[in-house]
Amino acid sequence: MKKVLVVLCVILLIVFVVSIGVGSVFIPPLRVLKVIFSLIGFKVPGVNQMDLTIIGQIRLPRIIIAMIVGMSLSVAGALVQGLYRNPMADPGIIGTSSGASLGAISCIALSFNTISIFYLPLFSFVGALGISFLVYKLATKDGKTPILNLILIGIAVSTFISSINSLILSNINQYQVSEYIFWMLGGLDSRSWTHVKISFVPLVILILCSLIFAKRINILILGEEESYTIGVNPERLKKRLLILVSLLTGIAVSVSGAISFVGLITPHILRLIVGSDYRKLIPASILGGGIFLIVCDTIARVLFSPIEVKVGIITSIVGAPYFLYLLKKRENEVTI
C-alpha cells in the first residue's frame, strides 16, 4: 500500500509541474520549479519576470484549484460509495449538484454575479448544502435514514430542482443563459489566488476529516446490525458523512462549476488497485482525484489551443463511457 501511495505522490508531483509548464508559452519543468521556489521566497538565479507573471499570476492558482477540487470530488465520491455500499454512486445522488445549480442560476438571474466574484461561489455552495439537507430530512423517519429513501428522494428532488432551473432559464436574458451554461459546463479558466484563498484551507481540512471516518465506513459496509454490535451508530455516521460530502462537494463546485464523473471514476479505478478497505481507498482517492483533474484540465487547455475546452466536457467524455462500461459489467454479473 505504501508503494501505491508513493507512486501516486510522485505522479501527482510530475503532472503538477508539467501542467504548469504546458500552454501557449511552454516552460520547461526545471524552470517551473525555479519559479515556484522563487515565489515561495528562495533566492533562485535565472528566473525572469515573464515566467514569474505567467506562472505566479495565471497558471499556478489554476493548477492548485484543479488539484484541490479533484481531490475533494474524488474523496466525496468514495465516501458516498461507502455510504450507499454501491461503487456506482456519486455525490450528485444526494442532490448536491442540483442544489449547486439552483444556487448558481439564482445568483445569475438576480445579477449578483456582476457585483462580486464571491457571490456565485457563495450561492452555489448554499444551494448545494441546502438541498442536501432537504433530501436528508425528507428521507429521515423516526430517527432513521434508510439508504433506499435517500436515493429515491434524492432523484425526486433533483428532478424537481432541474424543472425549477429550466423555469428560471426560460425567463432570463441571453447573456445570463450563457453565463449559466459556462458554469454548468465546469471550468477552471480565470481561477485566481482569490479562489485559492476562499477554498483551499476549508477543503484541505475537510479532506483530512474524511480520513477519520475510514475505519467506521469499513464497519458500516458490513451492515447496520453489525455496526451496532461493534459499537458504531450507523445513523449518526450517515448523518456525519452526508454533512462532510455536502461540504466537500459544495465548496468544490462553488469555485469550479459543475464537473461531473470525478467522484465516480477515480475511487472506482483506485478500488481495483488498493481494494475496498477505506483506510487505503480514501488516501488513494485523494491523490488520484488530484492527478485526474489536473490531467483533464491540461487536455482542456491544449487540445484545441488557442481555444480552450471546458474541463467538465473532458471529464464527461472520459466518464460517460466508463459509467456505461460499469453498467454493462454489472448487468452481466446479474445475468450470470
Side-chain angles (χ1 to χ4, degrees):
M1 175 57 194
K2 285 182 181 177
K3 288 182 181 176
V4 174
L5 291 181
V6 170
V7 170
L8 288 172
C9 283
V10 171
I11 295 173
L12 178 61
L13 181 62
I14 291 172
V15 298
F16 186 88
V17 172
V18 171
S19 64
I20 290 175
V22 172
S24 54
V25 177
F26 177 73
I27 303 173
L30 187 58
R31 266 168 56 194
V32 171
L33 288 173
K34 284 183 176 180
V35 172
I36 291 175
F37 281 114
S38 177
L39 289 168
I40 293 171
F42 291 96
K43 290 185 179 179
V44 183
V47 176
N48 63 55
Q49 188 57 46
M50 189 176 79
D51 287 351
L52 275 172
T53 303
I54 293 174
I55 293 175
Q57 299 301 318
I58 302 171
R59 294 184 188 170
L60 187 55
R62 174 177 183 146
I63 302 304
I64 290 174
I65 287 289
M67 180 184 69
I68 196 68
V69 167
M71 289 177 166
S72 302
L73 294 178
S74 177
V75 76
L79 295 176
V80 170
Q81 289 169 11
L83 177 66
Y84 288 94
R85 291 171 236 160
N86 187 333
M88 294 170 67
D90 77 356
I93 207 165
I94 55 173
T96 348
S97 302
S98 59
S101 301
L102 178 62
I105 196 169
S106 302
C107 178
I108 293 168
L110 295 169
S111 300
F112 275 87
N113 60 315
T114 60
I115 300 172
S116 168
I117 64 169
F118 289 103
Y119 280 111
L120 189 56
L122 179 65
F123 271 67
S124 52
F125 169 66
V126 171
L129 205 57
I131 297 302
S132 300
F133 273 101
L134 176 65
V135 170
Y136 176 76
K137 280 291 179 187
L138 291 174
T140 302
K141 186 178 180 183
D142 299 329
K144 293 188 176 181
T145 314
I147 296 299
L148 184 60
N149 279 11
L150 266 177
I151 295 173
L152 295 177
I153 291 174
I155 293 171
V157 171
S158 295
T159 306
F160 177 74
I161 295 298
S162 296
S163 303
I164 298 292
N165 289 348
S166 301
L167 192 63
I168 297 173
L169 267 176
S170 61
N171 286 284
I172 58 179
N173 61 47
Q174 192 60 40
Y175 174 75
Q176 291 172 321
V177 171
S178 62
E179 286 281 303
Y180 176 67
I181 290 173
F182 273 120
W183 186 89
M184 277 299 294
L185 291 174
L188 299 169
D189 46 304
S190 304
R191 298 304 94 171
S192 64
W193 287 111
T194 303
H195 296 93
V196 176
K197 286 176 185 172
I198 61 176
S199 63
F200 187 81
V201 172
L203 286 177
V204 168
I205 293 171
L206 291 168
I207 287 169
L208 293 176
C209 286
S210 68
L211 296 168
I212 299 170
F213 293 99
K215 189 177 178 182
R216 277 174 276 180
I217 295 174
N218 284 341
I219 296 171
L220 181 67
I221 291 172
L222 297 174
E224 297 196 4
E225 289 186 10
E226 288 80 359
S227 299
Y228 273 118
T229 307
I230 298 171
V232 173
N233 185 326
E235 293 303 323
R236 190 184 302 158
L237 180 57
K238 280 187 229 170
K239 189 174 181 179
R240 290 176 178 177
L241 288 176
L242 284 170
I243 292 171
L244 184 56
V245 169
S246 301
L247 290 171
L248 276 168
T249 313
I251 297 173
V253 301
S254 72
V255 292
S256 66
I259 298 178
S260 307
F261 291 109
V262 181
L264 171 70
I265 295 175
T266 44
H268 195 273
I269 291 175
L270 289 164
R271 184 178 282 106
L272 299 176
I273 298 171
V274 302
S276 296
D277 185 341
Y278 271 75
R279 291 170 298 180
K280 302 174 183 175
L281 183 60
I282 289 179
S285 297
I286 293 169
L287 296 169
I291 295 168
F292 178 70
L293 199 56
I294 290 175
V295 171
C296 287
D297 182 55
T298 307
I299 294 171
R301 284 191 286 129
V302 302
L303 187 61
F304 297 110
S305 181
I307 297 170
E308 188 172 308
V309 181
K310 291 286 182 184
V311 67
I313 296 174
I314 302 297
T315 58
S316 296
I317 288 173
V318 176
Y322 190 74
F323 185 67
L324 290 173
Y325 159 75
L326 291 178
L327 280 175
K328 198 68 183 174
K329 185 181 175 187
R330 171 160 287 204
E331 184 182 271
N332 291 338
E333 287 173 355
V334 171
T335 304
I336 290 168

